[in-house]
Amino acid sequence: MSNAYQSRGVSASKTDVHNAIKNVDKGIFPGAFCKIIEDPSDKDYCALMHADGAGTKSSLAYMYYKETGDETVFEDIAQDSLIMNIDDLLCVGAGTSEGDSFIVSNTIGRNAHRIPGSIISRVINGYEASAQILRDSGISVVLSGGETADVGDLVSTIIVDSTVFTRLKKTNVIDSANVKAGDVIVALASYGKATYETKYNAGMGSNGLTAARHLLFSHEYADKYPETYSSTLDTSVVYCGKYKLTDILPGTDVTVGKAVLSPTRTYAPVIYKILNESREGIHSIIHCTGGAQVKCKGFGSYIKYVKNDLFEAPPLFKELLNSDISVKEAYNVFNMGHRMEIYCDEKEAARIISAAASFGIDAKVIGHTEASTSASNELEITVNGEKYVY
């Protein structure tokens, strides 16, 4: 059971959620990263509808805005909401063939007493800017509108969610059920500055924000902004860190607040290039979202995942490791330096690493898969010579 996360009312494993849906139909590719259903109009195609959002990152954006007056952070929140969907869908190969398209609808819930119309404009502009980044890489994204609701009785600040629909040929599906013993794991870094990014990305993405906010930022924010956390929390776990939002993150020239608010990097241009060159030899793509580096355990059968040459934790994650969280839990909550994994034949690795490099993104082989001797999948992560088993 997670401690730093669970004590703040969030579960990395979402055991109760998985139990609630365990008997729900898993679709026509039950081992795929996303649920895939039959296309209603063409038997050669399948369809997907996916929902996700920026989560509690929007609460941090609100706090940063209140401290600095900077509304632009809400443009990045729109990117978080959009990319958390798009990059999940990339894992099944969606959006990467001629004629594929992502159709997006968004839902914004706000407390109008705290979130003015100018911020709503920022969010909407952020959706368009993020969609254009994808379009510039040849990926079709259509924004179909959405809903903005004033729900102050339910939402203390703002929540930004998206739903994305797409379809693709069944023959183009990447099915993570096909991961096999002997695959290598190629990881794409979550930090740095990709060619299609305008600023340094500290790599947080949109997972683990409840833990990150409270582990890093000073308790002074508890009294100043009680609307940014749940009244059900014990105050001993609220904003327990040493940093102010505007302090500089060690090892960088950006503030800690802006580092945590770095917009979720999309890997769409990279995956588009890789899959358009060849899909042969690529058996699984995993987006390290909920569950972070442990996410892979949910895919394939009788697989032992071995991650023994990970990226060194970049600056933001080093600070999180210096806070009140164990190394084992940190890798179950945060991506810790890479957020996309490609499982493939060894001969494909160099091609994938080269494709990532062409976009300014570091990539490397961080491990491999073996046959599991257990009745379920296993995961072994090695960090600084220490092994952690999940």
Side-chain angles (χ1 to χ4, degrees):
M1 185 71 70
S2 294
N3 184 28
Y5 219 25
Q6 194 76 33
S7 66
R8 295 174 172 92
V10 189
S11 169
S13 63
K14 297 183 180 179
T15 302
D16 55 345
V17 175
H18 290 298
N19 285 336
I21 64 173
K22 64 183 179 182
N23 295 321
V24 174
D25 174 61
K26 301 298 190 294
I28 60 175
F29 291 88
F33 190 83
C34 303
K35 182 173 179 177
I36 304 174
I37 61 174
E38 292 282 359
D39 184 272
S41 60
D42 190 331
K43 64 181 179 61
D44 293 328
Y45 279 74
C46 51
L48 302 91
M49 184 172 287
H50 199 277
D52 209 335
T56 63
K57 202 170 188 178
S58 59
S59 182
L60 179 61
Y62 165 82
M63 197 160 71
Y64 196 89
Y65 149 71
K66 293 294 286 185
E67 283 288 292
T68 66
D70 182 2
E71 291 185 351
T72 65
V73 290
F74 289 98
E75 296 177 5
D76 290 342
I77 291 300
Q79 177 166 322
D80 294 312
S81 180
L82 177 63
I83 298 308
M84 289 298 288
N85 283 283
I86 296 289
D87 281 32
D88 272 4
L89 292 167
L90 292 175
C91 293
V92 301
T96 58
S97 299
E98 185 177 353
D100 290 354
S101 187
F102 294 115
I103 301 173
V104 182
S105 178
N106 66 71
T107 303
I108 303 169
R110 68 164 177 169
N111 186 316
H113 289 151
R114 296 191 175 110
I115 302 296
S118 58
I119 287 178
I120 300 301
S121 294
R122 293 284 187 180
V123 173
I124 293 169
N125 291 339
Y127 271 105
E128 181 55 45
S130 301
Q132 192 58 49
I133 291 171
L134 298 172
R135 294 179 192 128
D136 289 344
S137 298
I139 299 155
S140 175
V141 179
V142 179
L143 301 180
S144 65
E147 163 72 357
T148 299
D150 292 336
V151 285
D153 285 345
L154 299 174
V155 177
S156 296
T157 56
I158 185 171
I159 189 164
V160 182
D161 293 332
S162 302
T163 301
V164 179
F165 173 81
T166 190
R167 58 196 293 271
L168 72 158
K169 288 184 177 179
K170 291 177 180 176
T171 54
N172 285 338
V173 169
I174 303 294
D175 185 352
S176 287
N178 294 328
V179 64
K180 61 182 179 64
D183 282 346
V184 297
I185 310 171
V186 181
L188 308 185
S190 59
Y191 62 96
K193 184 176 177 293
T195 57
Y196 48 85
E197 293 175 324
T198 60
K199 55 194 172 186
Y200 172 77
N201 197 317
M204 176 57 67
S206 286
N207 287 103
L209 268 295
T210 298
R213 287 185 297 119
H214 292 298
L215 289 170
L216 289 174
F217 296 113
S218 168
H219 194 69
E220 69 180 77
Y221 297 121
D223 292 332
K224 290 182 75 174
Y225 304 112
E227 64 269 33
T228 64
Y229 62 91
S230 172
S231 61
T232 62
L233 291 184
D234 187 311
T235 55
S236 66
V237 299
V238 174
Y239 296 126
C240 306
K242 62 183 181 181
Y243 289 108
K244 293 185 178 181
L245 289 162
T246 53
D247 287 344
I248 297 298
L249 175 69
T252 75
D253 60 359
V254 300
T255 66
V256 183
K258 280 290 185 76
V260 180
L261 285 168
S262 295
T264 303
R265 167 175 290 172
T266 180
Y267 296 96
V270 185
I271 302 299
Y272 183 85
K273 179 179 175 65
I274 291 167
L275 296 185
N276 269 275
E277 289 175 348
S278 174
R279 296 179 185 234
E280 187 176 350
I282 295 175
H283 306 138
S284 172
I285 304 176
I286 300 296
H287 190 199
C288 301
T289 53
Q293 292 304 321
V294 185
K295 185 81 171 184
C296 57
K297 271 191 67 179
F299 301 91
S301 300
Y302 305 104
I303 299 294
K304 180 178 180 179
Y305 293 90
V306 179
K307 299 182 181 182
N308 55 9
D309 192 18
L310 293 162
F311 287 102
E312 179 183 353
L316 176 59
F317 299 104
K318 283 182 179 178
E319 293 308 307
L320 284 163
L321 288 173
N322 288 332
S323 69
D324 188 21
I325 188 171
S326 69
V327 173
K328 185 173 184 179
E329 184 181 359
Y331 280 82
N332 198 179
V333 173
F334 308 115
N335 71 68
M336 299 304 294
H338 79 263
R339 219 189 67 248
M340 189 68 83
E341 297 173 344
I342 300 174
Y343 293 75
C344 60
D345 294 335
E346 186 174 7
K347 64 182 181 180
E348 296 295 321
R351 176 174 73 88
I352 294 166
I353 293 169
S354 176
S358 72
F359 293 98
I361 296 174
D362 288 340
K364 61 182 283 191
V365 174
I366 54 97
H368 62 276
T369 57
E370 301 174 359
S372 173
T373 57
S374 171
S376 60
N377 292 339
E378 303 173 274
L379 169 64
E380 181 182 281
I381 291 177
T382 302
V383 180
N384 295 327
E386 294 289 331
K387 289 185 179 180
Y388 302 92
V389 178
Y390 299 82

